[in-house]
Amino acid sequence: MLTAIKEIGSLYDIDAPSKKPSEAKVILIRINTEKQAYEGTEIEDFDSQKLDLYMFKEGRSKGNVPSPFCPLTEASRTLKKIQAWLNNCVKIKADNLSDSMPLVNEALNTIKSHKDSIISDISQVSESIPKKTRKFLTLKINNKYPGQYQIFKKSIESMDERKRKKSLSIGTCSICGSPNKEVSGTTDVFKFYTIDKPGFITGGFKESDAWKNYPVCSDCKQSLERGKKFIEEHLNFRFYGLNYLLIPELIIGDWTLFKDIVSVLAETKQTFSLTEVIRRRLTDDESEILEYLSSMKDTLAINFLFLQKQQSAERILLLVEDVLPSRLKRLFDAKDYVDNTFGNGRDKGFNFGSLRVFFSKSDDNKKTQDLNKYFLDIIDNIFRGEKISLQFLMKFFMPVIRRAINKDDYFGFRVSDGLKTLLYLQFLGLTNIKEANPMEKGLFEDFFERYGKAFNTPAIRGIFLLGVLTQLLINKQYAERGSKPFLKKLKGLKMDENDVKKLLPEVQNKLEEYDSFNRGKRLIASEASKYLLEAGNGWKMSADEINFYFACGMNLADEIAKTSY
């Protein structure tokens, strides 16, 4: 993956400013070194075109790290960062710039002399800015920004170089594979690890051995930085509360063609984000370009990197490597199958949102999405073609469906989400559902065949049809009484095999009481009885599976009723 990012960086000389919040304010401490005077503060709108003038670099201003441009928290603490940075500039001997050192010293002394006034002014100005607006603090020396002085630029370069040399050695670059090169272990393009803790350093406590973890030469580091910047700017996508970077990688072919492809991908995302044309999507991102990628030849592989930023560090949530366009096409074929099966009714087709419904929060009252790991594991299996246990899925499907029926809220949609997900995985061959023995064709054979393996055993069909009959009874009760008392008989959809078998005569008797056990319902009851008898005893199904298929029958009752009548 890192090699792919490096190759993209090699193709592009990217110098576009990072996207920063446009609604932000910068407070400038105005210093006049010629008069050794503090001339107050001024405030300006944040300007992304001035990043070089601000000397801003992502990550440099985090925590207590000295920096010339800092997010403003507490006035005194933030000012200390700028003072510490000026102190570091004094300590570094910048070549051929010794004549400029007095300017640095005078700026530092002026701040020290007027520290209390500066802190007071910063606090006062900060209070005038709305609380939700981001605030930054920096210097303006003799009406110039820090980035307009060579002494400060050289000092920053020297600081970075000194940090890099702490773990510098001669070795083989882990990216390009070139031997006998000067490599460093402090490459911080991606902050997957840190060398300030002994456990992260090869060999234990020696920081000088850190280069062995992740040796990268200077050329590759620059390419990695450019590649990452390009990908974050152009190939960064949303994924149901998460984010992923889409990283294309050339397998075979011409590098010129690869550059064209990457450029088109970046442009296509922008085009999709502006268009109102309805396209096939698997995620909630309107700029998603997976369908476009699925039309390409397998000369290209796609990597999906799900990252979570935690302060100044980054954590890999999931890395899916080497997904071919042909695999993406297969995923869209599965989507088309599910969409065609469900038609154009209230369900708008399958996407990974149908799956996310069950793998977001274990409880609606949770503040965080605590099921992200399971969700990403399943996404990984789908992209790589790995099997997913049906029993595992049902453990997450049913709590959501039970909550929906208990609250009388989105029950039908949640059942549809579960069934769509099941059909999608079955089309891809990812479930552990076995081929069933041939059954005698019944009245609703066309319906069951349309749903493939979803209803492929007598027990499942019997449970499903009983769910249909039960829903028709509940509809009758609600029409006549304005309530659904029979729902209590369903035990909150926690029924076992015996409960289901006892339920059929109860439903029939209740329909007789309502004088509603007509020919159409009798046909459904007859088919349900036939399949349940054929299934015999000991279905070898969990309670979650039994109740899921029962809920499917309740949700699709209208379709079966049309056929029976």
Side-chain angles (χ1 to χ4, degrees):
M1 178 200 72
L2 292 175
T3 301
I5 296 171
K6 176 255 180 183
E7 296 297 351
I8 292 173
S10 299
L11 293 172
Y12 292 90
D13 183 13
I14 305 159
D15 194 27
S18 299
K19 287 185 178 179
K20 290 293 153 193
S22 57
E23 293 186 8
K25 299 293 183 181
V26 180
I27 299 173
L28 301 110
I29 303 167
R30 300 178 67 246
I31 302 294
N32 188 326
T33 59
E34 296 173 1
K35 298 179 180 179
Q36 294 186 347
Y38 162 60
E39 297 181 335
T41 60
E42 68 178 79
I43 187 170
E44 66 178 39
D45 292 331
F46 180 92
D47 186 352
S48 61
Q49 301 300 318
K50 292 183 179 179
L51 293 182
D52 289 338
L53 299 180
Y54 296 146
M55 299 189 74
F56 175 82
K57 182 178 179 182
E58 188 72 52
R60 180 178 283 151
S61 58
K62 303 280 177 132
N64 294 317
V65 178
S67 173
F69 188 84
C70 310
L72 179 60
T73 53
E74 183 184 336
S76 60
R77 293 179 62 183
T78 308
L79 183 62
K80 281 182 181 179
K81 291 184 186 180
I82 293 178
Q83 282 183 270
W85 173 72
L86 287 171
N87 270 317
N88 286 342
C89 292
V90 171
K91 293 175 185 177
I92 291 174
K93 304 284 186 180
D95 295 339
N96 302 322
L97 292 172
S98 57
D99 293 344
S100 300
M101 289 310 297
L103 178 138
V104 182
N105 283 307
E106 287 163 12
L108 185 58
N109 291 332
T110 302
I111 291 176
K112 289 178 181 178
S113 301
H114 299 84
K115 181 179 177 181
D116 293 339
S117 297
I118 293 173
I119 291 173
S120 176
D121 289 349
I122 293 170
S123 299
Q124 187 174 352
V125 172
S126 178
E127 288 177 2
S128 68
I129 300 172
K131 289 184 178 180
K132 292 185 179 180
T133 303
R134 290 190 66 185
K135 299 180 279 282
F136 296 93
L137 184 66
T138 190
L139 296 170
K140 204 168 189 181
I141 303 173
N142 303 331
N143 279 326
K144 290 184 178 181
Y145 295 96
Q148 291 177 285
Y149 289 97
Q150 286 298 315
I151 181 66
F152 293 134
K153 288 184 176 181
K154 285 290 183 181
S155 294
I156 286 287
E157 291 173 6
S158 297
M159 291 177 199
D160 290 343
E161 183 67 13
R162 188 168 60 178
K163 180 181 176 183
R164 187 179 71 85
K165 285 186 175 180
K166 284 185 178 180
S167 65
L168 200 63
S169 186
I170 300 298
T172 300
C173 176
S174 62
I175 303 297
C176 65
S178 300
N180 302 319
K181 295 198 75 170
E182 191 178 75
V183 292
S184 171
T186 59
T187 302
D188 57 355
V189 178
F190 284 101
K191 298 170 180 63
F192 298 144
Y193 75 102
T194 176
I195 64 169
D196 60 359
K197 294 180 177 63
F200 287 90
I201 300 177
T202 299
F205 292 90
K206 295 181 180 179
E207 189 174 343
S208 59
D209 286 338
W211 66 273
K212 297 178 182 178
N213 279 323
Y214 177 30
V216 178
C217 66
S218 59
D219 290 341
C220 285
K221 178 185 177 181
Q222 292 175 12
S223 294
L224 278 171
E225 288 174 341
R226 290 196 299 269
K228 182 189 178 186
K229 192 171 184 179
F230 180 88
I231 292 167
E232 287 183 332
E233 289 284 330
H234 302 288
L235 299 175
N236 187 2
F237 298 89
R238 296 190 313 275
F239 200 85
Y240 303 102
L242 304 167
N243 280 81
Y244 70 90
L245 302 178
L246 191 152
I247 306 167
E249 183 175 5
L250 185 67
I251 301 175
I252 55 172
D254 185 275
W255 282 109
T256 303
L257 175 63
F258 180 64
K259 183 174 182 179
D260 292 340
I261 291 173
V262 175
S263 298
V264 170
L265 291 180
E267 292 170 4
T268 301
K269 179 186 176 181
Q270 299 302 320
T271 302
F272 282 175
S273 67
L274 297 175
T275 185
E276 294 182 357
V277 176
I278 298 175
R279 297 172 293 104
R280 296 187 301 171
R281 293 202 308 267
L282 289 173
T283 73
D284 60 335
D285 194 325
E286 294 182 357
S287 301
E288 179 200 303
I289 57 176
L290 298 184
E291 183 183 9
Y292 176 77
L293 285 167
S294 70
S295 65
M296 294 186 173
K297 295 181 179 179
D298 285 348
T299 57
L300 192 74
I302 311 300
N303 302 294
F304 297 85
L305 177 62
F306 290 81
L307 276 180
Q308 182 181 52
K309 292 191 176 183
Q310 296 176 323
Q311 295 180 348
S312 60
E314 293 172 322
R315 184 164 70 92
I316 297 178
L317 298 178
L318 174 66
L319 172 60
V320 186
E321 294 185 285
D322 302 329
V323 178
L324 298 175
S326 57
R327 179 61 185 174
L328 292 178
K329 183 179 184 306
R330 180 68 174 165
L331 299 187
F332 278 102
D333 288 344
K335 171 182 166 55
D336 290 342
Y337 163 73
V338 176
D339 295 353
N340 291 333
T341 299
F342 274 79
N344 298 315
R346 61 181 179 177
D347 300 292
K348 296 181 180 179
F350 174 84
N351 56 42
F352 289 139
S354 297
L355 178 65
R356 183 60 158 163
V357 163
F358 305 104
F359 293 91
S360 178
K361 296 180 180 180
S362 57
D363 188 293
D364 290 339
N365 295 322
K366 292 255 186 188
K367 291 184 178 180
T368 59
Q369 295 176 320
D370 58 329
L371 299 181
N372 283 344
K373 181 183 182 302
Y374 294 114
F375 177 62
L376 289 174
D377 283 347
I378 294 175
I379 294 299
D380 186 32
N381 284 20
I382 290 173
F383 277 110
R384 293 190 298 107
E386 296 288 333
K387 295 278 187 181
I388 302 168
S389 167
L390 177 64
Q391 292 72 27
F392 171 79
L393 291 172
M394 292 302 173
K395 286 181 180 179
F396 291 89
F397 284 5
M398 284 313 300
V400 175
I401 291 172
R402 288 181 185 119
R403 289 198 294 269
I405 197 171
N406 289 335
K407 293 181 179 180
D408 197 18
D409 187 26
Y410 297 111
F411 171 71
F413 289 106
R414 296 297 79 88
V415 177
S416 289
D417 285 327
L419 185 55
K420 284 188 286 187
T421 299
L422 185 60
L423 292 180
Y424 186 78
L425 297 176
Q426 285 177 355
F427 182 91
L428 295 171
L430 302 184
T431 59
N432 57 345
I433 296 177
K434 297 179 181 178
E435 292 289 342
N437 295 324
M439 289 178 284
E440 182 182 342
K441 290 190 176 182
L443 177 63
F444 307 108
E445 194 64 31
D446 289 344
F447 171 87
F448 289 129
E449 284 185 357
R450 180 154 61 92
Y451 284 87
K453 294 180 182 179
F455 309 106
N456 70 338
T457 69
I460 291 175
R461 291 187 178 187
I463 295 166
F464 174 86
L465 290 174
L466 179 54
V468 171
L469 198 64
T470 303
Q471 185 61 50
L472 295 178
L473 168 61
I474 291 170
N475 291 346
K476 181 65 176 177
Q477 282 189 329
Y478 189 74
E480 293 201 2
R481 303 177 53 172
S483 61
K484 307 173 183 178
F486 200 81
L487 277 177
K488 295 178 181 178
K489 296 281 188 179
L490 308 185
K491 295 185 174 182
L493 292 182
K494 293 182 179 180
M495 298 179 289
D496 59 20
E497 180 179 334
N498 290 329
D499 294 326
V500 170
K501 289 177 177 177
K502 292 176 184 177
L503 193 65
L504 180 57
E506 292 186 48
V507 174
Q508 293 180 177
N509 291 336
K510 189 59 69 173
L511 285 168
E512 292 279 11
E513 290 178 14
Y514 280 94
D515 195 24
S516 185
F517 198 36
N518 51 35
R519 183 173 181 272
K521 295 184 181 70
R522 290 180 188 277
L523 288 173
I524 297 171
S526 174
E527 288 289 292
S529 299
K530 180 188 75 173
Y531 284 122
L532 291 175
L533 285 172
E534 188 178 345
N537 298 320
W539 294 342
K540 296 181 180 179
M541 296 172 65
S542 68
D544 286 331
E545 291 176 83
I546 290 171
N547 288 275
F548 174 74
Y549 292 114
F550 187 89
C552 286
M554 294 177 69
N555 189 47
L556 295 172
D558 289 345
E559 283 195 46
I560 294 296
K562 287 178 183 177
T563 302
S564 65
Y565 281 100

